[in-house]
């Protein structure tokens, strides 16, 4: 199994809603990532979990809250988002994480629209 | 901050070679990568090169690295319509974060 699975594929939410994005991998990778990608732009790093501990937080607003329940799962909890948060949210995993040959495996993403 | 730069767009005819260029920022980056993104999909790692190499070939793909100029290129031989996508180069920043930084992306259009 060489897949990173993200759910849901599409999400529309209002500014007062609470929702969660989910990501799962069964490759035994020890690092998991959240990226945000706006249209026609490169992915921007949000968070990195390495061995289930948050190792990088790119000064992301607190309305985004990551969670890593175990080494295979990664969640992104969303609350009180703004329309400018609309984007493709990509999850990725790598075998060992930052500092090494960091070959990332990406999921297909969740296309988020905030109304 | 500095950006990893790529040209925005490249159009080639099917069967021709494509060359996508990238200028990166950190001369001490250990690994440099090429990713492909098709519409509505995540990124797929195509290939990577270690910084002590100047060339790597992998089937139709050839990566060239010029460390002096901080220039990376990806050549796709016999380009096919299925190669139409956005291509991102990426480098590892060798500060304490070791973050992977993506280039701005090059949209490759392959004409039949």
């Amino acid at each position: 199994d060489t897949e990173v699975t993200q759910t849901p594929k599409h999400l529309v939410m209002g500014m007062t809603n609470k929702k969660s994005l989910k990501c799962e991998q069964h490759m035994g990778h020890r690092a998991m990532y959240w990226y945000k990608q706006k249209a026609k732009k490169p992915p921007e790093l949000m968070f990195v979990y390495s061995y289930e501990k948050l190792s990088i937080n790119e000064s992301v607003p607190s309305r985004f809250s990551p969670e890593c329940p175990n080494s295979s799962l990664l969640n992104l909890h969303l609350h009180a988002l703004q329309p400018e948060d609309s984007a493709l949210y990509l999850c990725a995993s790598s075998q060992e994480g930052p500092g090494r040959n960091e070959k990332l495996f990406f999921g297909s993403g969740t296309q988020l629209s905030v109304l | 901050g500095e950006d990893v730069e790529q040209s925005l767009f490249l159009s080639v005819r099917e069967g021709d070679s494509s060359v996508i260029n990238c200028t990166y920022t950190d001369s001490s980056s250990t690994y440099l990568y090429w990713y492909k993104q098709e519409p509505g999909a995540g990124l797929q790692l195509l290939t990577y090169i270690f910084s002590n190499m100047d060339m790597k070939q992998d089937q139709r793909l050839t990566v060239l690295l010029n460390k002096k100029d901080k220039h990376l290129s990806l050549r796709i031989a016999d380009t096919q319509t299925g190669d139409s996508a956005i291509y991102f180069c990426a480098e590892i920043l060798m500060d304490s974060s070791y973050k992977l930084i993506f280039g701005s992306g090059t949209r490759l259009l392959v004409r039949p």
Side-chain angles (χ1 to χ4, degrees), chain A residues 37 42 58 99 101-102 104 106-107, chain B residues 33 35 37 42-43 48 99 103:
Chain A
Q37 187 179 27
E58 285 292 283
N101 187 356
E102 198 175 356
L104 297 184
F106 281 85
Chain B
Y33 305 83
Y35 283 83
Q37 186 175 31
L43 281 70
Y48 63 91
K99 289 184 298 188

Side-chain angles (χ1 to χ4, degrees), chain B residues 12-82:
Chain B
V12 300
R13 191 173 299 170
E14 190 174 16
D16 287 350
S17 293
S18 307
V19 179
I20 300 171
N21 295 302
C22 169
T23 302
Y24 60 96
T25 62
D26 190 338
S27 57
S28 55
S29 285
T30 51
Y31 290 94
L32 295 133
Y33 305 83
W34 284 104
Y35 283 83
K36 175 185 180 183
Q37 186 175 31
E38 297 184 58
L43 281 70
Q44 174 195 357
L45 177 63
L46 287 178
T47 188
Y48 63 91
I49 189 166
F50 187 49
S51 58
N52 69 352
M53 301 167 67
D54 51 23
M55 187 183 91
K56 180 179 179 181
Q57 188 150 4
D58 185 358
Q59 299 182 327
R60 292 190 298 122
L61 304 179
T62 302
V63 179
L64 295 178
L65 176 60
N66 180 331
K67 284 190 70 176
K68 174 174 165 290
D69 295 336
K70 291 189 280 188
H71 186 263
L72 183 72
S73 68
L74 175 69
R75 178 177 179 270
I76 305 173
D78 186 26
T79 315
Q80 303 296 304
T81 54

Side-chain angles (χ1 to χ4, degrees), chain A residues 11-29:
Chain A
L11 179 62
V12 179
M13 61 186 290
M15 288 189 283
T16 58
N17 291 158
K18 285 186 183 180
K19 296 285 184 185
S20 297
L21 309 185
K22 297 187 181 300
C23 177
E24 190 168 2
Q25 58 88 13
H26 295 289
M27 294 178 278
H29 287 177

